[in-house]
Amino acid sequence: MNLKDIPFAQRQRLAYIDFVLLFKGHLTRQDLINRFEVGLSAGTRDFNLYKELAPNNINYDTRLKQYFQTPGFKPLFAHDAKKTLAKLAADISDGFDAIGDLSFPVEAPSQLNVPDIFVVARIIQAILNGRAVKVIYTSLSSGSAAREIVPHSIIDNGLRWHVRGFDRKTQTFRDFVLTRLSSVTLLDKAPQPNEEPSEDHQWQRQMPIKLVPHPHNVKHPTAIELDYGMQNGALELNVRAALAGYLLRRWNVDCTENASLRGGEYQLWLQNQQSLYGAENLAIAPGYGK
């Protein structure tokens, strides 16, 4: 049977099954019924049709009463990596995915390259199911090597996508560029208490940031106030300490103590520099510490 010959509403439900299997790894018939408000018999027909179209994609566990992704899973539908990540970050669903149903660990504070959709899927599976992953990671300093990571969030820093998690090699929470990950394998070993997101203090800590029009580089500050929706001449935000550097770099915020950076690209000045004390990724914040 050709997918194009299947009625649109049923194709939506099949795409939902495909999407959840890819990104979460498992689902139940009740998930489908709740999502589309169909009857039990219709849900059963959808799963039977999916299995007919992609017999090597899905297994049913009679004990758990859940459908699981198989090791040889190949998506029945084309899930575009760039569009999927953008929709995940904005929590948008177009009806052909499960984004509206699942709480995905994606934050946006664009990209040099688009990550491989299967790498993204494995990482999200690990996060949603509380698993560690073994990956091959290629870094600028040490080249390619195997690492074990306990991921908890995916980040769009404005330039490229990262995954944040506990790195068992360095015993610290770090950001890893998604496009540098390959050969992602889910591990059965459960994360230790010190590897849980609650222990990522840079992630949990909220930092107040106060941005104002640059006092030297902007001739008409009202224009900047309108651009950023400022109130009383300032934009006040609370951001995660782990993301502060990304935001300040993306917006070209002058982070010097006396607003000393010159150039039209610096239209904002960080007025409360002292509030960033203790954040770890501020080396990329323009002029910080000067």
Side-chain angles (χ1 to χ4, degrees):
M1 180 181 294
N2 193 310
L3 280 174
K4 294 181 179 180
D5 298 328
I6 298 172
F8 179 79
Q10 190 169 32
R11 268 191 290 134
Q12 282 188 304
R13 299 195 296 271
L14 294 175
Y16 173 89
I17 294 170
D18 199 54
F19 185 91
V20 178
L21 286 174
L22 176 61
F23 284 99
K24 191 177 182 182
H26 57 85
L27 79 162
T28 66
R29 187 167 47 185
Q30 195 61 44
D31 292 332
L32 183 71
I33 292 170
N34 292 342
R35 173 68 172 81
F36 292 97
E37 298 182 355
V38 296
L40 186 63
S41 58
T44 300
R45 285 196 300 271
D46 290 335
F47 275 103
N48 288 339
L49 179 56
Y50 183 87
K51 194 163 187 177
E52 178 184 332
L53 294 168
N56 297 320
N57 277 7
I58 189 169
N59 279 331
Y60 183 69
D61 188 308
T62 55
R63 182 177 63 87
L64 298 175
K65 296 184 178 179
Q66 290 191 67
Y67 294 90
F68 285 86
Q69 179 197 108
T70 63
F73 179 88
K74 293 181 180 179
L76 184 60
F77 291 80
H79 303 283
D80 180 86
K82 187 174 182 179
K83 292 179 180 178
T84 298
L85 282 169
K87 288 191 293 183
L88 290 175
D91 194 27
I92 298 170
S93 173
D94 61 9
F96 274 82
D97 53 48
I99 293 170
D101 276 15
L102 302 176
S103 177
F104 280 95
V106 179
E107 298 235 356
S110 209
Q111 301 80 25
L112 286 174
N113 194 10
V114 179
D116 183 273
I117 192 71
F118 297 105
V119 169
V120 175
R122 289 287 184 182
I123 293 296
I124 291 180
Q125 275 190 51
I127 295 170
L128 293 180
N129 295 292
R131 304 271 290 279
V133 291
K134 184 175 182 179
V135 304
I136 301 297
Y137 187 70
T138 303
S139 70
L140 291 173
S141 58
S142 55
S144 299
R147 302 179 95 112
E148 288 189 12
I149 303 169
V150 185
H152 68 67
S153 297
I154 291 178
I155 303 164
D156 173 14
N157 76 350
L159 179 65
R160 55 195 174 192
W161 294 93
H162 292 71
V163 56
R164 184 168 180 84
F166 187 83
D167 176 27
R168 287 176 172 169
K169 178 181 178 181
T170 62
Q171 291 291 296
T172 59
F173 286 93
R174 301 181 60 186
D175 297 348
F176 296 90
V177 181
L178 269 177
T179 51
R180 298 179 187 170
L181 291 175
S182 60
S183 185
V184 181
T185 305
L186 290 169
L187 300 177
D188 291 328
K189 185 179 178 182
Q192 299 299 306
N194 67 309
E195 300 173 336
E196 296 290 342
S198 59
E199 295 301 309
D200 187 350
H201 303 301
Q202 289 286 307
W203 186 259
Q204 300 299 335
R205 179 184 173 191
Q206 294 285 333
M207 308 186 82
I209 287 179
K210 187 174 183 180
L211 305 178
V212 297
H214 200 285
H216 307 301
N217 299 335
V218 175
K219 185 176 181 180
H220 300 287
T222 301
I224 303 302
E225 293 173 16
L226 291 170
D227 282 347
Y228 291 89
M230 294 182 176
Q231 299 292 325
N232 299 317
L235 176 63
E236 298 188 42
L237 304 169
N238 283 309
V239 301
R240 297 184 189 276
L243 302 181
Y246 293 142
L247 183 144
L248 295 168
R249 183 181 185 182
R250 182 177 185 177
W251 287 2
N252 285 327
V253 179
D254 181 347
C255 299
T256 61
E257 187 174 349
N258 298 310
S260 59
L261 296 183
R262 295 295 182 267
E265 69 270 30
Y266 301 112
Q267 298 179 344
L268 296 170
W269 176 49
L270 176 65
Q271 197 173 61
N272 60 335
Q273 190 190 64
Q274 70 282 356
S275 69
L276 299 185
Y277 180 79
E280 293 177 353
N281 72 340
L282 294 180
I284 62 175
Y288 182 77
K290 297 180 181 179

